Amino acid sequence: MPRTTLDAMDNALPPAEELRLIDRELVRLDAHRARLLARRAWLLTALRAAGPAAGPSPGPVRSRGTAAETSPPGAQNVLLALGGTLLAIAAVAFTVVSWGHMGIGGRALVLGAVTVAALGTPLLLLRRKLVSTAESVAALALVLTVLDAYALRRAVLPGTDTLAYTAAAAGVLAAVWAGYARAGGGLRLPLPGAVVAGQLPLPLWALSAGGSAGAVAWAALATAGLDVLIALGARRKGVRAPAAACAVATGGWSLLTGLWLSVSAASPAASVEPALLLLAGAALALAAAWRTPASASASAIATIGGLAAIGGLAAIAALGGVLRTAVPPDWAVPAYLLSAASLLAAVRIRAPRVVLTGLGAASGLVHLASALWAAPVVLLGLTGPAAVLENVWGGPPAPGAAPPGAATAPVVLAVVAAALWVAPRLLPAVPPPRPAGECAALVLAWSAAVAAPVALSLPLGPALAVQLSATAAALAQAARPSLAAALLPTARRAPGAGRSGRAADGTATPPEAARTPRATASPEATTSPGATGSARATATPTGSPPHPGSPAADPAPDDHTPPEAPGRTGGAAGAAPPAGRPEPPPYAPDPLRALAATALACALLSGTAAALLGLATRPATFTALGVLVALGATAAVTARGLVRTVAACTTVVGSTGLVAATAAAAELPGHRIALALLAVPAGAALLGARLGRHPVAPAVEVTAAAVVPIAVALAAPNPPALALVLALAGVVAAGTAVRAERRPLAGYAAAALFVAATWVRLAASGVDTPEAYTLPATVPALALGLLRRRTDPSASSWTAYGPGLGATLVPSLLAAWGDAGWQRPLLLGLAALGVTLAGARRRLRAPLVLGGLTLALVALHELAPYVVQAVDALPRWLPPALAGLLLLAVGATYEQRLRDVRRFRESLGRMR
């Protein structure tokens, strides 16, 4: 594109003018492409007419209908490789099969001539620029040299040691191939072949000399060192890749051998040699990682980090193997863990960051494996107390079989927690901890305390004390996570801490920490979209000086925070973060909140284990439940948010257990214990009335309401006591329902409880009259319906009066149909008549329909005997005749009956 056109397009042009310029340039490019295609077609035609003398063809001309499936170089390489393979197979067959049919002179002449010809031919082919053919012949020549070595062994040196001869032959071949590659500079196969052949001399020489597995491993490690030197010094990728692969294979085998020897060593003296081997391998891996050229590619970063991690693991295995033999068997895992912890000090050296990351990953893997090894002891400490449920207050349970090495599990967990918590703060090269790492450290520290009773086989009292102490510590951390703010760099920079004026746990922060610096942007920053850092907004805090814990108090940039981009502009007024402290993204996790949630989960688990363990004896039960209730109440008062709600609910649960334990200790029967348990929902209702609309009140009352089913189940064998329990529960629910915040669900529960209490009391007294059950529920229901209609005239009569009327009329009607007396039908008929007349007078649908149907059915019940007698007295032909006359009458007045039915339906529809 001409420069003038580019200049014109760079300027701010109207859209129509710019579109015309683009169209003009596209037309020019199409015309130029057509000229080039025509010229190319003419050149191809001229080359075909000139024949092979005109030079190599630029390539096949593909038609639109066909496509070549392979390129000429690819086909050539396949043919050459196939030819070289066939010649190699023929040479092997000749050497192995036909060798014995020739004399020594013929053998030497044939092998010498063929080998010399095969080695010299690639040099001649290279001069003629036939590189692919030369590579194929060179490969054949390498195979022939191997066959020469084999033939020399069979014919001239049959009595030599096989391993020694193979080692010497491999060394000679490696040297010959390396020299041959130097002579034929254009050949690519001999030098990688020399690298592969060089892997055999030292290990095979060690085996032939009768060396042990350690000696062979040393020889393999020395070979790996040579491979590393070749991989780092080679210029061609075709040499670096085989050398690196061979270094990994031989070095990995030597490290695995050293690890096996270190693990199987039974004394410190026997572990020294494997430790030296592992340390040498670690040094080699770290040197390779250090000297490997760093690049931005993911493969290079992974290679360097992997080598550093392998070196770190080898160093840990070396030091841990020596320490393992000097300590008791139970302390083997702490020995390796101590070695991994000491490796963290290496991150203070000046080394590439990728190498330090690999070393940290190696140490982290060992720490993770150690924590997983100790996890079964923690699970046993949490689930072991459940065995007490088989014999409550029957004494401490028999200790179960502890896993191997359980005595050191708390030490392992404590060391891992300390390393995870301290290392990122003391070692500058380690990235700052994230909420996940801090929460993991908290869980590990808590796990160490939980595992201590199992590891030390503590009796009931100390074990219960440890569990309660772990619960108290975790609950304190959950209630006040800001206590650890001094140790948490990320907590001091919690997202939103400076904007909301409230800490992550919900506690109010000082006014200085809650103020957000006000940012004032210069005119350049607001008008020019390309403004640089000179036009960046400046933060001007207002009010008193910032709080020492706030970001504004420390203007120095964080060691792990990347500098701000040069072209980044300031934000809008009131949104600029303090200088040097970029504001965290809105999706960043809150460290304090994450710590509080983690600590709360730990407190619940250890608290449950302590409560179960306390069931072993009566004193332990009251001690455990009393301490748990006190801890929960304290946390409910001091905590905020979810922690406060959960702590309040657990306090209710603990109080329930404490009341039940007190009643059981007094040897009260089950129905008396049920009455005692009702003190919990009563107390929760009183507390809820005092709290009012506090967000914790509903959760506390719902948790306390769950005690009612337990009390009902305990009182079920004694009906009078069950009626009393239901009535008292109804009183509590009614008291909750009449509060200012109005809880409709509590009102429904109160009504159901009162009705159930009445029915249970009547059943216990032997009353079988249905009206005694239905009338106590009907009268309040009708009264409530009347109040509903007065407050809401639009309410339907089915909603207001339907439930009350149905609760009495339907059971009484069913009883009347089975009653042979006349009193019940008479009273029911009069009541139904009154209800019907009231419905017609007030134009209410529900009383009219229910009362009318009941009255009709009662009348039918009373007339049924007389109808039966009359039917028996009439002739048999009279009922069919009357039925026929009725059908004729209905048919004759069908339309009139339809109008009557429609009119009745409309009248009924106008009622409420």
Side-chain angles (χ1 to χ4, degrees):
M1 188 178 293
R3 181 64 185 171
T4 56
T5 305
L6 288 172
D7 294 339
M9 293 179 64
D10 290 339
N11 295 329
L13 296 177
E17 183 66 20
E18 186 176 356
L19 182 61
R20 283 195 294 272
L21 287 175
I22 293 174
D23 291 338
R24 191 182 305 140
E25 291 300 325
L26 290 176
V27 170
R28 189 182 65 80
L29 291 175
D30 291 339
H32 186 59
R33 183 174 184 274
R35 288 195 299 271
L36 292 177
L37 290 176
R39 181 65 178 172
R40 181 178 183 276
W42 183 85
L43 291 174
L44 290 175
T45 303
L47 288 174
R48 292 193 190 96
S57 175
V61 180
R62 300 177 184 176
S63 63
R64 294 185 179 180
T66 61
E69 296 182 356
T70 181
S71 61
Q76 179 187 11
N77 293 334
V78 171
L79 294 176
L80 292 175
L82 182 60
T85 302
L86 293 177
L87 289 176
I89 294 174
V92 172
F94 170 77
T95 303
V96 176
V97 178
S98 301
W99 185 256
H101 300 289
M102 301 179 63
I104 186 64
R107 301 171 187 175
L109 180 63
V110 171
L111 281 177
V114 173
T115 303
V116 170
L119 291 174
T121 302
L123 303 180
L124 298 176
L125 293 175
L126 287 177
R127 295 179 182 178
R128 293 181 176 273
K129 307 298 183 183
L130 301 176
V131 179
S132 299
T133 308
E135 293 289 350
S136 299
V137 178
L140 175 62
L142 298 183
V143 174
L144 289 175
T145 56
V146 176
L147 295 177
D148 289 340
Y150 171 75
L152 182 63
R153 166 75 171 78
R154 291 288 303 272
V156 181
L157 303 171
T160 59
D161 182 66
T162 303
L163 291 177
Y165 179 80
T166 305
V172 172
L173 288 177
V176 170
W177 291 352
Y180 182 63
R182 194 174 186 84
L187 297 175
R188 293 176 295 179
L189 290 179
L191 199 53
V195 172
V196 175
Q199 309 305 308
L200 299 178
L202 292 179
L204 292 181
W205 172 79
L207 286 175
S208 64
S212 60
V216 178
W218 277 107
L221 187 60
T223 304
L226 296 176
D227 294 333
V228 169
L229 293 178
I230 295 174
L232 294 176
R235 298 180 179 178
R236 291 187 299 177
K237 184 178 180 181
V239 179
R240 290 198 306 269
C246 292
V248 171
T250 54
W253 183 85
S254 63
L255 288 178
L256 291 177
T257 303
L259 179 62
W260 175 74
L261 293 175
S262 177
V263 172
S264 59
S267 63
S271 64
V272 173
E273 182 182 359
L276 295 177
L277 178 62
L278 291 172
L279 288 177
L284 178 62
L286 291 176
W290 201 310
R291 301 298 299 176
T292 299
S295 63
S297 63
S299 59
I301 295 175
T303 301
I304 297 174
L307 288 174
I310 292 174
L313 290 174
I316 293 172
L319 183 58
V322 175
L323 294 177
R324 179 191 62 82
T325 58
V327 297
D330 290 344
W331 289 85
V333 174
Y336 286 101
L337 183 59
L338 180 61
S339 304
S342 63
L343 182 64
L344 290 176
V347 299
R348 300 187 67 89
I349 63 176
R350 300 181 62 86
R353 190 171 185 84
V354 182
V355 175
L356 299 181
T357 302
L359 292 176
S363 179
L365 287 175
V366 177
H367 281 78
L368 177 61
S370 302
L372 294 177
W373 170 84
V377 184
V378 181
L379 293 178
L380 186 60
L382 292 175
T383 59
V388 180
L389 295 176
E390 299 178 357
N391 187 16
V392 177
W393 291 355
T408 60
V411 178
V412 169
L413 293 171
V415 171
V416 176
L420 192 60
W421 189 277
V422 174
R425 294 165 176 82
L426 299 182
L427 306 176
V430 178
R434 290 294 174 258
E438 296 166 352
C439 294
L442 177 62
V443 171
L444 288 170
W446 167 83
S447 300
V450 171
V454 178
L456 303 177
S457 300
L458 297 178
L460 178 61
L464 185 59
V466 171
Q467 293 282 11
L468 292 176
S469 300
T471 304
L475 199 56
Q477 180 64 38
R480 289 295 184 185
S482 57
L483 296 176
L487 301 177
L488 297 178
T490 54
R492 292 196 296 269
R493 298 189 298 271
R499 296 189 301 269
S500 62
R502 185 169 292 272
D505 59 350
T507 58
T509 56
E512 295 82 4
R515 291 192 178 96
T516 303
R518 184 178 302 168
T520 57
S522 61
E524 294 82 4
T526 57
T527 57
S528 176
T532 60
S534 60
R536 193 174 297 130
T538 59
T540 58
T542 61
S544 58
H547 192 265
S550 63
D554 185 12
D558 191 2
D559 294 338
H560 309 290
T561 304
E564 188 176 357
R568 190 168 181 176
T569 60
R581 296 279 192 182
E583 186 175 356
Y587 52 82
D590 189 345
L592 290 181
R593 187 170 298 173
L595 275 176
T598 305
L600 179 61
C602 294
L604 291 177
L605 291 175
S606 56
T608 303
L612 293 175
L613 186 61
L615 295 177
T617 61
R618 291 188 181 184
T621 300
F622 288 103
T623 301
L625 293 178
V627 172
L628 291 176
V629 169
L631 292 175
T634 304
V637 173
T638 58
R640 298 292 184 270
L642 177 64
V643 177
R644 175 176 55 187
T645 302
V646 175
C649 294
T650 54
T651 303
V652 173
V653 175
S655 301
T656 303
L658 199 58
V659 171
T662 303
E667 298 182 355
L668 297 179
H671 63 278
R672 297 291 181 85
I673 297 177
L675 292 173
L677 287 178
L678 292 180
V680 175
L686 294 176
L687 180 61
R690 183 175 180 82
L691 294 176
R693 298 184 181 276
H694 197 279
V696 178
V700 171
E701 293 176 3
V702 171
T703 305
V707 181
V708 175
I710 301 176
V712 170
L714 291 174
N718 192 330
L722 177 60
L724 181 58
V725 168
L726 293 172
L728 292 177
V731 171
V732 175
T736 304
V738 298
R739 294 215 307 260
E741 55 269 22
R742 293 185 60 190
R743 305 186 189 278
L745 185 61
Y748 300 145
L753 289 171
F754 281 135
V755 171
T758 304
W759 289 357
V760 171
R761 183 67 257 185
L762 291 174
S765 301
V767 177
D768 56 359
T769 303
E771 288 78 10
Y773 293 88
T774 58
L775 286 177
T778 299
V779 174
L782 293 178
L784 292 176
L786 182 61
L787 293 176
R788 173 70 183 277
R789 288 275 298 171
R790 287 185 177 180
T791 57
D792 185 11
S794 62
S796 173
S797 61
W798 287 108
T799 304
Y801 304 118
L805 294 176
T808 295
L809 295 178
V810 173
S812 298
L813 181 61
L814 295 177
W817 273 77
D819 193 355
W822 58 271
Q823 294 87 354
R824 187 189 302 276
L826 177 60
L827 295 176
L828 181 59
L830 293 176
L833 178 61
V835 170
T836 305
L837 294 177
R841 175 72 177 82
R842 297 290 182 181
R843 301 181 61 82
L844 299 176
R845 186 184 306 172
L848 181 61
V849 173
L850 292 176
L853 288 176
T854 303
L855 184 60
L857 292 175
V858 170
L860 181 61
H861 173 266
E862 294 302 316
L863 293 177
Y866 302 102
V867 172
V868 172
Q869 293 178 5
V871 170
D872 289 340
L874 293 175
R876 296 296 179 91
W877 55 267
L878 187 58
L882 293 176
L885 291 176
L886 179 61
L887 292 176
L888 291 176
V890 171
T893 59
Y894 180 73
E895 294 182 359
Q896 182 63 31
R897 301 287 79 77
L898 286 179
R899 285 195 296 269
D900 294 340
V901 171
R902 191 178 298 110
R903 191 180 302 111
F904 177 75
R905 186 183 63 185
E906 292 175 354
S907 301
L908 198 62
R910 287 192 294 269
M911 296 181 180
R912 289 288 182 181

